[in-house]
Amino acid sequence: MARLWVCVGGAVFFLSCLVLHWRFSGSLVSRTFAFYIPGRKEGTLFRLDLDWPKYSEYFTGSTFSVAVDSLNGLVYVAQRGDNIPKVLVFTEDGYFLRAWNYTVDTPHGMFVSSTPYEQSVWITDVGSGSYGHTVKKYNSLGDLVQVLGTPGKKGTGLNPLQFDNPAELYVDDMGEIYIVDGDGGLNNRLVKLSQDFLILWLHGENGTGPAKFNIPHSVTLDSVGRVWVADRGNKRLQVFDKDTGEWLGAWDNCFTEEGPSAVRFTPDGQYLIVAQLNLSRLLILVAPPSGSIRDCSVVSTIQLADQVLPHLLEVDRKTGAVYVAEIGAKQVQKYVPWHSRTPAFGA
C-alpha cells in the first residue's frame, strides 16, 4: 500500500491533511485529520503518530471507544454499524490482528484488564437488542465470560443489578469495578463492585449537587485512591474516595464551554487527558496532589478538525500513548509523548 499526503496549513502548529491510501488492488481510501506538526512549542506535550494504524480501512463503522492492553501491546477498538465487526484488535505498532462480533449489540465504553494470567476485555453495551443494557466481560479472543445486568432489558434495579445505557467502566488492579451508568438513560449513577460483583458503594441520583450526575460518561482512577467521573451534562469532573465513596470535590472552571466526555491519567500521574466531544478538543490538565483537589488548570490543548468528535480515550500505562476514538471522523488516532522515539511522519 502506498500513501499520498495532501496537507493544508492552518495555525502555526497545525495541519489539516487528507491521506490517500492507494491499495495494490487499485482502490482508493481516504483519511482526514488534524494534528500538530513537529515544531516544539511551549506546552505541547503530545504529537500525532501518523503511522498508526498501518491500514485505516479496517475502520468500517463509528468508532466509539478504545482500550489498551499495555502488558501485551494490544489495542482494542469498538465500533458501531450494520454487518461489520464490532471489535477490532491491533498491535501497538498499528498492525491489524483480528476482529470479533460475538454477543456485541451496540458498544459504548471499553476497558482491558490484563495480568500475566488473564486478559479481560470489558464492554458496556447500550443496544436495545438481546445483548443491550449490559456490562460484559470477554477474553482476548472474544469469548463471552461474564454478563452484568439483565440482557436486553433496561432498568434501575440493584438486586439483580440492572443498567440503562451504561457508559463506561474502569477496573482497578485489585479487580474492583467502577461503572458509570446513564448515557442518557434512566440512571445517573456511579457504582463500585467487588471482584465478586457485589455492590460496595453507589452514588445514584440525577441532579446538579455534589455526588449527583447528569450523564456520567467516563470514569477513571488516579494513583492516590481517587475516582474521577466525567459528569458531562453538568460540565464538570467529580472526585470520590476510592474506598469509601466519599465525595471529595469537583472541577468545573475548565468546562464552561462544554462538559468532559472522557477522562484518563498519564502513567506518571501528573496530568489528566480530557476529551470534549462537540468542541473536537483534548485538554491536558494538571493533576492535583494527594489530599487536595484544588482548581482545574489547563496546561495544553490539542484542537482537532471540526466534526472529528472525540468520544472516549485510553492511555497506554507503559508508553504513555493516548488513543482517541472519534465518532465523527470514524477512526482512532494515536498521540505519543513529545519525546517519544516514534517518528512524527509516516513512511
Side-chain angles (χ1 to χ4, degrees), residues 209-259:
K212 297 182 180 181
F213 303 101
N214 180 12
I215 309 181
H217 199 262
S218 181
V219 59
T220 194
L221 266 66
D222 64 18
S223 59
V224 295
R226 297 177 295 202
V227 183
W228 294 72
V229 176
D231 188 6
R232 181 173 154 190
N234 283 326
K235 296 184 179 181
R236 63 185 179 181
L237 289 169
Q238 293 203 67
V239 192
F240 302 86
D241 182 271
K242 171 182 179 291
D243 296 320
T244 65
E246 177 189 359
W247 185 81
L248 300 176
W251 280 356
D252 58 9
N253 57 297
C254 289
F255 308 109
T256 56
E257 294 180 86
E258 184 187 0

Side-chain angles (χ1 to χ4, degrees), residues 35-259:
F35 60 92
Y36 284 109
I37 65 173
R40 184 70 165 103
K41 178 173 111 171
E42 191 66 31
T44 303
L45 301 177
F46 295 92
R47 54 183 173 81
L48 185 64
D49 179 357
L50 298 179
D51 216 23
W52 200 100
K54 302 297 182 183
Y55 306 103
S56 61
E57 59 266 33
Y58 288 107
F59 300 138
T60 53
S62 297
T63 48
F64 268 72
S65 55
V66 59
V68 178
D69 178 356
S70 58
L71 190 63
N72 295 289
L74 300 177
V75 180
Y76 293 79
V77 176
Q79 59 178 3
R80 297 185 193 177
D82 297 327
N83 303 314
I84 63 169
K86 299 295 177 64
V87 178
L88 309 174
V89 188
F90 297 87
T91 68
E92 62 183 0
D93 296 325
Y95 291 99
F96 176 76
L97 291 180
R98 57 183 175 269
W100 40 273
N101 200 36
Y102 311 113
T103 68
V104 182
D105 187 350
T106 307
H108 190 278
M110 175 184 274
F111 188 85
V112 172
S113 176
S114 185
T115 71
Y117 311 103
E118 181 185 39
Q119 292 79 48
S120 300
V121 182
W122 290 86
I123 295 176
T124 66
D125 199 321
V126 299
S128 57
S130 57
Y131 302 113
H133 302 295
T134 56
V135 176
K136 291 172 287 193
K137 175 183 178 182
Y138 298 85
N139 64 22
S140 59
L141 298 178
D143 299 318
L144 184 61
V145 176
Q146 181 73 43
V147 178
L148 305 180
T150 306
K153 185 178 180 181
K154 62 185 178 181
T156 62
L158 299 179
N159 188 21
L161 183 60
Q162 292 180 301
F163 301 105
D164 183 12
N165 291 352
E168 199 192 42
L169 76 156
Y170 190 96
V171 183
D172 68 19
D173 293 338
M174 300 297 293
E176 295 176 328
I177 306 166
Y178 305 80
I179 302 170
V180 280
D181 176 27
D183 183 30
L186 296 170
N187 305 323
N188 283 275
R189 62 191 183 186
L190 166 65
V191 185
K192 179 180 179 179
L193 303 179
S194 69
Q195 298 180 55
D196 301 323
F197 314 122
L198 301 176
I199 296 176
L200 298 178
W201 52 260
L202 176 148
H203 290 290
E205 187 176 349
N206 184 25
T208 60
K212 297 182 180 181
F213 303 101
N214 180 12
I215 309 181
H217 199 262
S218 181
V219 59
T220 194
L221 266 66
D222 64 18
S223 59
V224 295
R226 297 177 295 202
V227 183
W228 294 72
V229 176
D231 188 6
R232 181 173 154 190
N234 283 326
K235 296 184 179 181
R236 63 185 179 181
L237 289 169
Q238 293 203 67
V239 192
F240 302 86
D241 182 271
K242 171 182 179 291
D243 296 320
T244 65
E246 177 189 359
W247 185 81
L248 300 176
W251 280 356
D252 58 9
N253 57 297
C254 289
F255 308 109
T256 56
E257 294 180 86
E258 184 187 0

